[in-house]
């Protein structure tokens, strides 16, 4: 049973969460006892979507209207004025397993499959998602539960298959501004004849995700058929994972997990490996930056995470190798989509002012991928990676990948900028990665692709009074002023000691 109401597009961005709006005196609210935050089921033609209800008063809606957020509108494929059927949703049976986990009962394969299927199907409201994330955070998932969750997440979406026997991938667990090595590793590896279908995420709490940076150079939302064509043609791609529906439950969980700021090795492993499985990878190299202001703050924590990633990978048929790297400072000069893209181009083109730290990190990771996938013998991957980059083969392959994804373009430049200069002379002894990332976001990154920070004060470097420490780039004077106010208020953004 259900009630038909007229669809009205309200243009409200609720990100990935479908939200519906009805008047308090609407016949459906009155007949069914719906209140604000009730879960309801919507149907438009063959499409069925679970949504959260918000109740409105006043003239925004007629009593026979149902307002839809952008996420709900797109999920339903609605058109203005069409009939949308509203009814109570079916009971959320899988949540019993979440309650059990809260009380200490482990998740088995069946429970993990049921939970993830409901999450991917949009049947968990945010409060239920938050409960699930809390229940599995910390050290509450053992290896068997992590493997079950990973399998369930990989099975919830599409899964790609490739003709190559060895399909390689790489991932960085994050937390390091400017660490845009993927845009270098993929063309190096693909130019060496290996298959590397790389799906990447957009930024959620950082100033740039790999997909955001790549999008300043070429289209990334290309769909699964186009992704397959690009990889078959060029051996590799760099696309936005959200456009190819691989492990879709992961995108939903990340949306709620990040604001909660709850660390969970189990969820991280399931997130990373489920997407690698879904993308058809057989061999995966994982970069784990370690540093005081990185995501992973100690070598002990890094080794524990690496053991779980490699153990879960083995159980799932993935050859996983983890590399611990320096996470004490940003990589490259740019922080923000376009600024990071300019660093990548400088390395690919062999520019004399290309950031050497970005070059070396990318070469190390590319060497690891080439050796892990069997393209280079142990110890010989670095020489092959260097030769591929320095010969221009990687740059040509990158251009070809961009062309295949829809055409290469020039990263934009921000119209407003300001240079912050050193007030004290001395040696740089500490850098707060998180505050630098916050500064870039206040300047407008990643939504303003040209916004962000260029950073000129690496660890161990000497600064003189008046020497540039960083420059802030923004689309508007107001954003520039806001970011500058934050930067000038920070005493330990960069720590300098007398030489």
């Amino acid at each position: 049973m259900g009630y038909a109401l007229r669809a009205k597009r309200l243009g409200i961005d609720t990100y990935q969460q479908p939200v519906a709006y009805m008047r308090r005196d609407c016949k459906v609210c009155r007949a069914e006892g719906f209140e604000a935050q009730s879960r309801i089921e919507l149907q438009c033609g063959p499409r069925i979507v679970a949504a959260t209800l918000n109740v409105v008063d006043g003239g925004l809606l007629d009593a026979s209207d149902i307002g839809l957020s952008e996420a709900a509108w797109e999920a339903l494929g609605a058109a203005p004025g069409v009939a949308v059927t509203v009814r109570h949703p079916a009971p959320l049976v899988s949540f019993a397993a979440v309650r059990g986990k809260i009380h200490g009962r482990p998740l088995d394969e069946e429970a993990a499959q049921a939970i993830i299927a409901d999450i991917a199907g949009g049947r968990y409201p945010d409060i239920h998602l938050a409960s699930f994330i809390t229940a599995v955070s910390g050290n509450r998932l053992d290896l068997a539960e992590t493997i079950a969750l990973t399998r369930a997440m990989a099975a919830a979406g599409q899964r790609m298959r490739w003709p190559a026997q060895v399909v390689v991938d790489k991932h960085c667990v994050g937390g390091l501004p400017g660490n845009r090595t993927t845009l270098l590793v993929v063309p190096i590896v693909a130019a060496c004849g290996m298959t590397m279908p790389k799906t990447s995420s957009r930024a959620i709490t950082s100033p740039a995700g790999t997909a955001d940076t790549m999008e300043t150079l070429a289209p990334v939302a290309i769909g699964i058929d186009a992704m397959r064509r690009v990889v078959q043609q060029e051996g590799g791609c760099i696309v936005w994972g959200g456009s190819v529906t691989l492990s879709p439950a992961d995108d939903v969980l990340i949306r709620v997990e990040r604001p909660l700021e709850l660390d969970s090795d189990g969820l991280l492993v399931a997130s990373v490996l489920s997407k690698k499985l879904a993308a058809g990878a057989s061999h995966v190299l994982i970069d784990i930056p370690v540093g005081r202001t990185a995501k992973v703050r100690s070598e002990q924590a890094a080794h524990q995470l690496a053991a779980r990633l490699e153990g879960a990978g083995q159980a799932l048929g993935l050859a996983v190798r983890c590399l611990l790297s320096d996470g004490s400072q940003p990589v490259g000069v740019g922080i923000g989509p376009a600024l990071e893209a300019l660093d990548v181009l400088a390395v690919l083109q062999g520019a004399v002012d290309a950031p050497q730290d970005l070059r070396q990190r990318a070469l190390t990771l590319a060497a690891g991928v080439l050796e892990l996938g069997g393209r280079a013998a142990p110890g010989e991957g670095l020489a092959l990676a260097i030769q591929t980059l320095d010969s221009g083969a990687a740059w040509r392959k990158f251009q070809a990948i961009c062309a295949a994804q829809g055409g290469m373009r020039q990263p934009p430049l921000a119209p407003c900028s300001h240079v912050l200069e050193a007030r004290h002379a001395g040696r740089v002894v500490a850098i707060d990665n998180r505050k630098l990332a916050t500064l870039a976001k206040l300047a407008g990154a990643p939504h303003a692709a040209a916004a962000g920070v260029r950073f000129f004060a690496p660890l161990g470097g000497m600064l003189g009074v008046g020497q540039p420490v960083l420059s802030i780039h923004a689309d508007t004077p107001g954003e520039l002023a806001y970011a500058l106010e934050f930067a000038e208020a920070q005493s330990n953004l960069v720590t300098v000691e007398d030489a």
Side-chain angles (χ1 to χ4, degrees):
M1 173 165 178
Y3 297 83
L5 296 171
R6 291 193 308 259
K8 184 174 182 178
R9 187 175 190 172
L10 297 183
I12 298 174
D13 183 3
T14 54
Y15 192 40
Q16 296 173 338
Q17 185 181 22
V19 177
Y21 304 81
M22 289 191 284
R23 282 175 60 117
R24 193 179 307 277
D25 58 355
C26 168
K27 63 180 180 181
V28 181
C29 288
R30 293 166 65 180
E32 296 298 324
F34 288 141
E35 299 176 341
Q37 297 302 303
S38 292
R39 290 294 282 176
I40 58 177
E41 189 172 89
L42 310 175
Q43 183 168 0
C44 182
R47 297 194 185 186
I48 298 175
V49 173
T52 299
L53 176 65
N54 283 353
V55 176
V56 300
D57 295 305
L60 179 65
L61 298 170
D62 290 336
S64 57
D65 287 339
I66 180 164
L68 299 174
S69 70
E70 289 297 287
W73 185 270
E74 292 173 9
L76 282 171
V82 301
V84 173
T85 301
V86 183
R87 55 180 169 257
H88 287 278
L92 197 58
V93 176
S94 69
F95 196 70
V98 177
R99 294 192 193 95
K101 182 61 182 172
I102 291 171
H103 291 290
R105 189 167 69 241
L107 293 175
D108 58 21
E109 292 270 357
E110 183 179 355
Q113 292 282 351
I115 291 168
I116 294 303
D118 279 339
I119 290 174
R123 292 181 283 276
Y124 269 44
D126 281 5
I127 192 168
H128 287 66
L129 289 169
S131 298
F132 172 69
I133 290 165
T134 303
V136 300
S137 291
N139 295 315
R140 296 184 180 91
L141 286 178
D142 61 23
L143 184 58
E145 291 174 297
T146 300
I147 292 167
L149 196 60
T150 306
R151 279 202 185 100
M153 290 170 66
Q158 300 189 66
R159 190 160 179 178
M160 304 195 77
R161 298 286 188 272
W162 306 100
Q165 185 175 0
V166 173
V167 178
V168 295
D169 206 335
K170 60 84 63 176
H171 180 81
C172 177
V173 302
L176 202 56
N179 193 21
R180 214 48 64 213
T181 54
T182 291
L183 276 68
L184 296 164
V185 173
V186 170
I188 291 172
V189 171
C192 290
M194 301 198 77
T195 300
M196 192 168 184
K198 186 73 182 78
T199 63
S200 299
S201 62
R202 295 191 186 278
I204 295 179
T205 60
S206 67
T210 296
D212 300 309
T213 298
M214 182 64 178
E215 195 168 43
T216 69
L217 296 164
V220 294
I222 65 173
I224 199 163
D225 291 336
M227 175 185 171
R228 187 176 285 108
R229 174 184 53 78
V230 173
V231 175
Q232 289 171 345
Q233 179 178 320
E234 299 299 338
C237 68
I238 306 168
V239 303
W240 174 45
S243 68
V244 291
T245 61
L246 303 178
S247 187
D250 182 49
D251 297 324
V252 179
L253 288 169
I254 287 173
R255 175 176 59 81
V256 177
E257 183 183 5
R258 295 286 177 83
L260 290 174
E261 295 186 349
L262 290 174
D263 292 323
S264 171
D265 279 2
L267 270 185
L268 187 152
V269 170
S271 171
V272 172
L273 297 189
S274 67
K275 290 203 167 176
K276 304 312 175 191
L277 283 169
S282 61
H283 295 69
V284 182
L285 184 75
I286 298 178
D287 177 21
I288 306 179
V290 184
R292 181 178 57 86
T293 57
K295 181 180 290 185
V296 181
R297 302 184 192 182
S298 71
E299 286 203 7
Q300 179 183 1
H303 285 299
Q304 290 173 347
L305 177 58
R308 187 178 290 225
L309 282 160
E310 291 172 357
Q314 183 178 16
L316 295 163
L318 278 174
V320 177
R321 179 187 173 198
C322 296
L323 291 180
L324 275 58
S325 61
D326 177 19
S328 60
Q329 61 181 325
V331 180
V333 176
I335 303 172
L339 297 173
E340 294 174 18
L342 293 172
D343 282 354
V344 168
L345 292 177
V347 173
L348 283 170
Q349 295 169 359
V352 293
D353 60 347
Q356 292 304 300
D357 57 341
L358 177 62
R359 172 186 161 92
Q360 292 305 318
R361 289 179 79 99
L363 287 169
T364 298
L365 291 168
V369 172
L370 292 168
E371 293 177 13
L372 180 64
R375 179 63 180 81
E380 296 180 5
L382 184 59
L384 178 58
I386 292 173
Q387 190 276 331
T388 305
L389 181 61
D390 289 350
S391 69
W395 170 227
R396 291 190 294 274
K397 177 58 69 175
F398 185 79
Q399 291 174 289
I401 289 172
C402 289
Q405 288 185 198
M408 191 167 181
R409 50 202 178 206
Q410 186 67 25
L413 299 176
C416 305
S417 64
H418 183 87
V419 176
L420 280 181
E421 299 174 342
R423 298 174 181 173
H424 308 285
R427 186 182 302 276
V428 178
V429 296
I431 298 166
D432 194 315
N433 289 315
R434 296 181 181 185
K435 289 184 177 179
L436 275 176
T438 298
L439 177 59
K441 288 189 289 182
L442 290 173
H447 302 296
V453 169
R454 299 189 76 222
F455 186 69
F456 311 117
L459 281 174
M462 297 298 297
L463 285 176
V465 175
Q467 185 175 337
V469 175
L470 58 85
S471 59
I472 304 170
H473 302 255
D475 275 0
T476 68
E479 288 173 314
L480 179 63
Y482 192 40
L484 182 59
E485 181 182 357
F486 171 83
E488 292 181 335
Q490 305 305 310
S491 59
N492 59 346
L493 190 67
V494 177
T495 303
V496 178
E497 289 187 353
D498 294 338

